[in-house]
């Protein structure tokens, strides 16, 4: 495939329609910047549309928020004390110059990093092994099924008893939140591995270890990454709850403390920070997934 | 380890007093019963039969995926006890590894054998070149057409230089034109490599066009109903499919299979209330009654 051919082809074959569509202006000689930009626009039209609509709806959200708070609307829900977007922006500017706020964020991120990584390091291999070896599955699955429905928040008192420091119990709760989605999805991925691929590997001379590494593992990767994405979401949910209840630092604690100190703008700031951090971490996982699974790229 | 595999005429497949049954709640179900087949070194042999007759079961037993209930499967006198790279297999669903590029797929068997990377890359490129696929070596299988996927599947199975190539309805999912081209490609490769081929299909034309010999199986429980040598000379051309010799073979095989297919369906039709139609089979085949 030579790119010049691709570039030239539409020019040669359909100048008439191109003129008709672009309006009165005649077509520039070689592909000019204008035609290229137009072509790029046509190819990416639907994506651009989505971005434009997305930005508009975010702006509309801000506007509604602004109006509701400046007019202190009370209609079932009371917006009397809700901070306005501008107030939140002001406290954001103040906060980014405040080392304490940054420390809250750094600490939360560190807890997520440790808790989530542990969950992935234990959950993924365990899921793989459970999917491959029936006995391991039969032994571990019932226990996992009993523990799984317990929300991480319900573990808070137990975690405080179990672990010597507050920090450890918070990390433990974060770990628990992400562990089960990772384990269950990995296991699910293993059950969906196409047995024909395993047979294909076998009659190419692959033995157990190679089949595990070359077939089961890559075949399960899409589901593993689903598990990691879901797990990351639940990790943040669990972390924030744990920080609000038992923490001294962290963005969840910051949000709760703002309420106690009647710093209303900081409540919204904390919430938005949590949202942005959650979004960022799931984007990171998606990016990692695309790196690890190039065959799934479009 | 040779880079372009296998020339020695090896790969004598023998299946003797073979039967295979599996357990169900109603007791053991016979899939294949009392079957003998053999493939001489370098021979191209097909198995045809009505659907569900156990031809794939038989092939899977030769591959080593299934253990015979009775009887024995040997290749060059050695008993088959499990899958091995000595018996390459091509599947109907292509079964390429989606996470590997075309070249990595072809390299897989060599990698399992411990061949160093640079060497197996070279070998895979040579093989892909023979199949006209070198331009696609870096593509993932998803991007290929069905015909290309199956060419990769065949090349991958041949890369390790197996003694025997087993194909399970490999062109069943392809359109008619692609199928004809694939048959030609397979014939070329087989003639070049002098490898024994056991080919399962339900397409009679395909079986005759490709094979030295065709086994026709009975309806379930499957056994060998007939063994038909195909004396058409090689190399074979598409035009041969119009010759009277070809058509005679085709007619013969067709009626054999038709009989078995009707027998297989006859059971079902009977169950569904053939008696209501006032047709009684009296142990005859439905073909005879109709």
């Amino acid at each position: 495939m030579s790119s010049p051919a691709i570039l030239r082809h539409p020019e040669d074959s359909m100048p008439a329609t191109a003129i008709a569509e672009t309006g009165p202006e005649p077509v520039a000689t070689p592909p000019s910047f204008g035609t290229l930009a137009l072509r790029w626009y046509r190819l990416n039209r639907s994506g651009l549309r989505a971005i434009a609509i997305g930005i508009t709806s975010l702006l509309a959200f801000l506007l509604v928020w602004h109006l509701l708070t400046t007019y202190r609307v009370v209609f079932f829900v009371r917006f009397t004390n809700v901070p306005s977007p501008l107030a939140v922006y002001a406290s954001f500017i103040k906060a980014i110059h405040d080392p304490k706020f940054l420390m809250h964020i750094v600490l939360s991120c560190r807890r997520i990093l440790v808790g989530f990584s542990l969950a992935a390091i234990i959950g993924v291999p365990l899921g793989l092994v459970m999917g491959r070896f029936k006995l391991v599955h039969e032994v571990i699955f019932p226990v996992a099924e009993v523990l799984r429905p317990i929300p991480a928040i319900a573990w808070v008192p137990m975690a405080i008893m179990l672990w010597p420091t507050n920090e450890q119990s918070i990390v433990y709760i974060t770990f628990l939140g992400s562990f089960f989605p990772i384990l269950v999805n990995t296991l699910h991925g293993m059950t969906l591995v196409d047995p024909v691929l395993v047979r294909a590997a076998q009659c190419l001379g692959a033995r157990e270890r190679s089949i595990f590494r070359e077939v089961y593992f890559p075949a399960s990767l899409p589901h593993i990454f689903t598990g990691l994405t879901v797990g990351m979401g639940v990790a943040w949910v669990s972390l924030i709850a744990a920080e609000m209840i038992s923490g001294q630092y962290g963005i969840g604690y910051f949000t709760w403390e703002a309420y106690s100190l009647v710093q209303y703008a900081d409540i919204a700031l904390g919430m938005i920070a949590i949202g942005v951090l959650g979004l960022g971490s799931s984007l990171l996982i998606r990016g990692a997934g695309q790196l690890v699974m190039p065959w799934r790229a479009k | 380890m040779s880079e372009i595999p296998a020339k020695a005429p090896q790969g004598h497949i023998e299946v003797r007093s073979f039967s295979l049954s599996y357990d169900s709640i109603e007791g053991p179900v016979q899939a294949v019963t009392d079957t003998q087949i053999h493939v001489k070194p370098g021979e191209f042999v097909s198995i045809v039969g009505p659907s569900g007759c156990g031809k794939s079961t038989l092939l899977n037993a030769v591959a080593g995926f299934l253990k015979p209930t009775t009887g024995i499967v040997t290749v060059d006198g050695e008993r088959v006890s499990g899958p091995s790279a000595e018996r390459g297999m091509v599947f109907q669903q292509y079964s390429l590894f989606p996470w590997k590029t075309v070249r990595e797929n072809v390299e897989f068997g060599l990698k399992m054998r411990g061949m160093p990377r640079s060497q197996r890359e070279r070998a895979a490129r040579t093989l892909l070149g023979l199949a006209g696929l070198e331009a696609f070596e870096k593509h993932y299988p998803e991007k290929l057409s069905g015909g290309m996927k199956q060419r990769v599947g065949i090349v991958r199975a041949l890369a390790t230089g197996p003694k025997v190539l087993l194909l399970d309805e490999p062109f069943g999912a392809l359109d008619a034109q692609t199928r004809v081209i694939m048959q030609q490609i397979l014939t070329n490769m087989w003639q070049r490599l002098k490898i024994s081929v056991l080919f399962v299909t339900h397409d009679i034309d395909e079986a005759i066009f490709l094979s030295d010999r065709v086994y026709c199986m009975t309806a379930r429980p499957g056994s060998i109903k007939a063994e038909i040598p195909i004396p058409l000379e090689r190399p074979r051309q598409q035009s041969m499919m119009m010759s009277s010799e070809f058509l005679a073979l085709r007619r013969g095989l067709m009626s054999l299979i038709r009989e078995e297919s009707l027998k297989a369906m006859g059971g079902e039709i009977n169950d569904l209330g053939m008696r209501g139609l006032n047709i009684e089979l009296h142990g005859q085949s439905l073909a005879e009654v109709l």
Side-chain angles (χ1 to χ4, degrees):
Chain A
M1 285 206 283
S2 61
S3 46
I6 289 174
L7 286 176
R8 211 181 308 118
H9 178 72
E11 274 257 289
D12 294 343
S13 61
M14 39 178 270
T17 55
I19 292 168
E21 278 175 23
T22 49
E25 228 162 323
V27 174
T29 22
S32 73
F33 178 75
T35 40
L36 281 178
L38 191 68
R39 235 173 259 162
W40 183 86
Y41 166 72
R42 277 199 198 134
L43 286 171
N44 295 288
R45 194 183 286 165
S46 73
L48 290 171
R49 193 186 109 109
I51 292 171
I53 292 178
I55 290 171
T56 317
S57 94
L58 282 173
L59 289 176
F61 175 79
L62 282 175
L63 183 69
V64 170
W65 177 10
H66 177 74
L67 292 175
L68 286 173
T69 48
T70 37
Y71 294 102
R72 303 188 181 277
V73 175
V74 177
F75 181 73
F76 293 108
V77 191
R78 299 157 303 155
F79 286 92
T80 10
N81 286 326
V82 175
S84 72
L86 290 172
V88 175
Y89 181 72
S91 74
F92 168 69
I93 295 300
K94 207 177 74 192
I96 52 172
H97 296 297
D98 179 5
K100 221 171 157 199
F101 178 75
L102 295 178
M103 184 199 62
H104 283 306
I105 287 188
V106 167
L107 262 176
S108 285
C109 289
R110 202 182 69 186
R111 288 165 180 164
I112 285 285
L113 191 71
V114 176
F116 176 80
S117 304
L118 282 175
I121 289 167
I122 299 172
V124 172
L126 186 61
L128 292 171
V129 171
M130 278 169 77
R132 191 76 192 97
F133 302 104
K134 223 172 152 196
L135 180 66
V136 183
H137 185 280
E138 287 162 344
V139 170
I140 293 177
F141 190 69
V143 182
E145 279 302 281
V146 170
L147 294 181
R148 191 162 66 96
I150 303 172
I153 311 160
W155 274 92
V156 170
M158 181 66 81
I160 294 171
M161 287 198 296
L162 277 173
W163 296 91
T165 70
N166 239 351
E167 189 63 24
Q168 285 164 340
S169 53
I170 292 174
V171 168
Y172 175 69
I173 284 160
T174 313
F175 161 83
L176 275 180
S178 45
F179 176 73
F180 287 109
I182 293 174
L183 177 71
V184 168
N185 279 284
T186 306
L187 190 56
H188 182 61
M190 284 295 280
T191 59
L192 294 182
V193 175
D194 185 355
V196 178
L197 292 181
V198 177
R199 289 199 282 157
Q202 283 174 329
C203 59
L204 290 164
R207 307 230 165 261
E208 184 64 37
R209 278 183 66 168
S210 312
I211 293 173
F212 205 93
R213 197 181 57 232
E214 306 269 359
V215 181
Y216 279 106
F217 180 63
S220 305
L221 268 179
H223 288 92
I224 291 176
F225 270 90
T226 305
L228 293 177
T229 311
V230 177
M232 183 55 98
V234 185
W236 277 102
V237 172
S238 317
L239 173 78
I240 299 304
E243 283 180 348
M244 283 189 170
I245 295 171
S246 71
Q248 286 149 357
Y249 304 102
I251 192 67
Y253 174 74
F254 170 85
T255 309
W256 187 251
E257 190 195 34
Y259 176 72
S260 320
L261 300 177
V262 209
Q263 307 265 346
Y264 292 142
D266 281 351
I267 297 180
L269 178 64
M271 289 169 66
I272 292 171
I274 293 164
V276 168
L277 289 169
L279 181 69
S281 47
S282 68
L283 284 178
L284 272 179
I285 291 180
R286 199 188 301 172
Q290 276 165 1
L291 274 182
V292 178
M293 300 181 288
W295 68 91
R296 288 177 58 94
K298 277 175 211 120
Chain B
M1 274 179 257
S2 60
E3 280 188 21
I4 299 174
K7 329 115 193 90
Q10 274 183 311
H12 186 165
I13 306 173
E14 257 195 287
V15 177
R16 284 199 306 270
S17 31
F18 175 94
S19 79
L20 202 146
S21 57
Y22 54 89
D23 286 325
S24 78
I25 194 94
E26 284 115 29
V29 176
Q30 281 282 327
V32 181
T33 176
D34 188 32
T35 292
Q36 348 272 336
I37 64 166
H38 68 98
V39 181
K40 286 178 277 197
E43 197 181 19
F44 198 122
V45 174
S46 292
I47 305 176
V48 295
S51 51
C53 72
K55 48 193 192 295
S56 292
T57 307
L58 187 56
L59 193 76
N60 278 318
V62 176
F65 296 125
L66 297 172
K67 300 241 176 307
T69 310
T70 63
I72 183 169
V73 179
T74 62
V75 173
D76 290 337
E78 248 175 78
R79 190 185 192 126
V80 169
S81 58
S84 119
E86 281 192 350
R87 278 158 280 126
M89 183 135 174
V90 178
F91 304 84
Q92 177 175 8
Q93 316 87 317
Y94 316 125
S95 71
L96 302 179
F97 304 118
W99 44 86
K100 289 181 182 289
T101 62
V102 165
R103 199 190 64 215
E104 287 166 345
N105 263 284
V106 173
E107 278 177 32
F108 186 81
L110 302 172
K111 185 178 177 186
M112 291 302 106
R113 211 160 63 182
M115 186 187 275
R117 180 184 291 260
S118 61
Q119 212 177 332
R120 62 177 199 249
E121 271 184 23
R122 222 176 317 129
R125 282 214 186 88
T126 314
L127 283 161
L128 284 170
L130 289 176
L133 287 166
E134 65 266 76
F136 299 93
E137 61 165 321
K138 291 203 173 79
H139 286 51
Y140 285 104
E142 198 196 33
K143 305 267 155 74
L144 305 183
S145 69
M148 287 201 270
K149 280 184 198 166
Q150 200 55 298
R151 263 186 283 166
V152 178
I154 294 171
V155 170
R156 181 180 69 174
L158 291 171
T160 48
K163 294 176 173 177
V164 167
L165 186 62
L166 310 170
L167 302 101
D168 191 359
E169 305 210 19
F171 310 143
L174 301 177
D175 61 77
Q177 292 92 322
T178 312
R179 183 187 290 220
V180 169
I181 296 166
M182 293 298 295
Q183 289 165 356
Q184 208 78 57
I185 292 173
L186 178 62
T187 314
N188 290 344
M189 288 194 164
W190 165 70
Q191 275 171 333
R192 196 181 305 212
L193 298 172
K194 295 280 166 241
I195 188 174
S196 314
V197 173
L198 188 55
F199 189 97
V200 163
T201 179
H202 59 256
D203 182 332
I204 294 169
D205 289 331
E206 182 170 79
I208 301 173
F209 182 71
L210 291 172
S211 312
D212 297 320
R213 227 155 19 92
V214 176
Y215 285 109
C216 177
M217 284 183 82
T218 64
R220 173 174 283 239
S223 61
I224 301 299
K225 182 183 179 79
E227 177 188 341
I228 299 120
I230 308 294
L232 302 172
E233 63 188 49
R234 294 192 189 265
R236 292 182 184 164
Q237 311 297 333
Q238 279 300 300
S239 56
M240 279 181 170
M241 296 181 91
M242 292 297 156
S243 70
S244 56
E245 213 181 349
F246 189 98
L247 292 173
L249 286 165
R250 184 172 194 271
R251 216 172 300 125
L253 254 171
M254 197 75 115
S255 66
L256 285 172
I257 292 199
R258 192 180 141 76
E259 206 175 291
E260 289 307 318
S261 298
L262 286 171
K263 216 187 275 175
M265 286 168 66
E268 283 165 36
I269 294 169
N270 210 347
D271 290 344
L272 292 171
M274 197 68 172
R275 264 183 223 120
L277 295 172
N278 247 337
I279 299 173
E280 285 189 43
L281 293 175
H282 293 300
Q284 291 174 294
S285 74
L286 194 59
E288 286 165 296
V289 175
L290 296 174

